[in-house]
Amino acid sequence: MSNDFLDIYTDGACKGNPGVGGWGVLMRYGSHEKTLKGAESHTTNNRMELQATIEALSAIKRPCKIRITTDSVYVKNGITQWIHSWKKNGWRTAQKKPVQNAELWQQLDNLVQQYDIEWAWVKGHSGHPGNEVADTLANEAIEQWREQHQG
């Protein structure tokens, strides 16, 4: 990976869907790394995938070129393809139903406008190093949440 990009790896996880969910982020710029993670009590996997990407972009301190790698087709296709129609249709799907997680999509849309972002998809649980770290962080966040709230 070139130093020209801030590489971001995001993942979400959910124990039950809905259930306790976690998100994880690995950010890498040259030799610098930062990790982020968090959890919510009653959520879905898709919401956690979106939250991971929102948290990553919210943590950026200065303009740069970004490469976001996700294992979520929902996030990648949603932000690069589907969102244009949703916005044109007043946040409704082609079937005229409200877009699920519209408030998160709107947050993400506002954030992506600020950056030059290249989107990449990888198959989840396929051994991709950045994705595996993000997945581990998301699951750690779930376990930490459970220990704090059920112990």
Side-chain angles (χ1 to χ4, degrees), residues 85-145:
S85 297
W86 294 339
K87 286 163 60 171
K88 195 168 54 181
N89 296 333
W91 292 98
R92 298 214 168 262
T93 66
Q95 293 76 36
K96 309 285 186 240
K97 295 188 169 125
V99 170
Q100 288 190 343
N101 305 311
E103 76 286 0
L104 293 178
W105 284 114
Q106 290 164 0
Q107 270 186 273
L108 183 56
D109 184 41
N110 288 335
L111 287 164
V112 300
Q113 303 303 321
Q114 302 171 41
Y115 301 103
D116 178 11
I117 302 174
E118 180 180 303
W119 295 87
W121 178 84
V122 294
K123 185 176 179 4
H125 310 287
S126 64
H128 184 283
N131 181 253
E132 294 296 331
V133 170
D135 178 66
T136 298
L137 290 165
N139 282 290
E140 283 175 1
I142 292 170
E143 291 312 311
Q144 288 171 351
W145 186 94

Side-chain angles (χ1 to χ4, degrees), residues 57-68:
L57 291 172
S58 297
I60 297 171
K61 302 210 177 357
R62 65 181 72 94
C64 58
K65 284 197 263 181
I66 300 166
R67 180 172 26 233
I68 297 178

Side-chain angles (χ1 to χ4, degrees), residues 27-47:
M27 303 172 80
R28 192 178 283 150
Y29 188 81
S31 62
H32 303 283
E33 280 191 3
K34 179 176 185 162
T35 58
L36 307 167
K37 63 184 172 183
E40 291 182 22
S41 62
H42 189 75
T43 190
T44 65
N45 191 69
N46 280 343
R47 288 185 69 83

